[in-house]
Amino acid sequence: MNITDFQNIIERTYGERDRTRGVPSTVAWLAEEVGELAQAVRKGNRDQQLHEFADVLAWVATLANQMGIDLTDAAARYANGCPTCSALPCAC
Amino acid sequence: MNITDFQNIIERTYGERDRTRGVPSTVAWLAEEVGELAQAVRKGNRDQQLHEFADVLAWVATLANQMGIDLTDAAARYANGCPTCSALPCAC
């Protein structure tokens, strides 16, 4: 799946509702989901881990939508390897 | 950019080093980056926000790499809209 397609489907699924709640609430939800991912990584099974990785991606995407950030533009920071040393693998 | 391509480039750039540090350290780094994103969203400029969104995506990707999780499989959870109500937009 394309990052842009994922961001668009999250916009169509949750954009209006999440925008109504506002950015601070979305940041709080993202933090909550990162906590759930941390727990799934520590003691969850594979299905739970997949679920929580998906939810973190979805909350990052809806926050980006509210901020007018294109995640494909963001991801481009790493397109050529490490953005600090420009090496692949990173040689920092 | 494709989610798989992004995950692969993060593996090639940071995989060996991040794997050496281990999963708990990667979870800690991810938490730190989410904090930096929250700050950039609150008071950063657009470039800082792009940077921090990118870093959160990168840390999610390297954690997924260490856990053997394919983020494209994870993202598929939202491919048809809300995974709970199967509606688009979500009708939960």
Side-chain angles (χ1 to χ4, degrees):
Chain A
M1 190 188 292
N2 194 291
I3 292 175
T4 300
D5 291 343
F6 183 76
Q7 188 167 0
N8 285 342
I9 203 165
I10 294 299
E11 170 61 29
R12 289 164 58 206
T13 308
Y14 300 111
E16 187 176 338
R17 185 185 304 174
D18 290 352
R19 206 164 281 110
T20 302
R21 274 197 297 251
V23 166
S25 294
T26 301
V27 169
W29 271 92
L30 172 59
E32 181 175 332
E33 292 297 338
V34 170
E36 291 181 9
L37 174 59
Q39 185 181 64
V41 161
R42 183 171 61 85
K43 63 178 184 179
N45 62 29
R46 183 180 163 75
D47 281 351
Q48 291 164 330
Q49 290 164 359
L50 269 172
H51 175 142
E52 299 304 340
F53 272 105
D55 286 359
V56 167
L57 289 179
W59 282 98
V60 169
T62 199
L63 180 60
N65 286 334
Q66 289 184 56
M67 300 300 295
I69 294 287
D70 182 329
L71 287 180
T72 299
D73 289 347
R77 175 170 163 79
Y78 288 93
N80 299 312
C82 176
T84 303
C85 69
S86 301
L88 199 164
C90 169
C92 287
Chain B
M1 191 189 292
N2 193 292
I3 292 174
T4 300
D5 291 342
F6 183 76
Q7 188 167 0
N8 286 342
I9 204 166
I10 295 299
E11 170 61 29
R12 290 163 58 206
T13 307
Y14 301 111
E16 188 175 337
R17 185 186 305 172
D18 290 351
R19 204 164 281 109
T20 302
R21 274 197 297 252
V23 166
S25 294
T26 301
V27 169
W29 271 92
L30 172 59
E32 181 175 332
E33 292 296 339
V34 170
E36 291 181 8
L37 174 60
Q39 185 181 65
V41 162
R42 182 171 62 82
K43 63 178 185 179
N45 61 29
R46 183 180 164 75
D47 281 351
Q48 291 165 329
Q49 289 163 1
L50 269 172
H51 176 143
E52 299 304 340
F53 272 106
D55 286 358
V56 167
L57 289 178
W59 283 98
V60 169
T62 199
L63 180 60
N65 286 333
Q66 288 184 57
M67 300 300 295
I69 294 288
D70 183 330
L71 288 180
T72 298
D73 288 348
R77 174 170 163 80
Y78 288 93
N80 299 311
C82 175
T84 303
C85 70
S86 301
L88 200 164
C90 169
C92 287

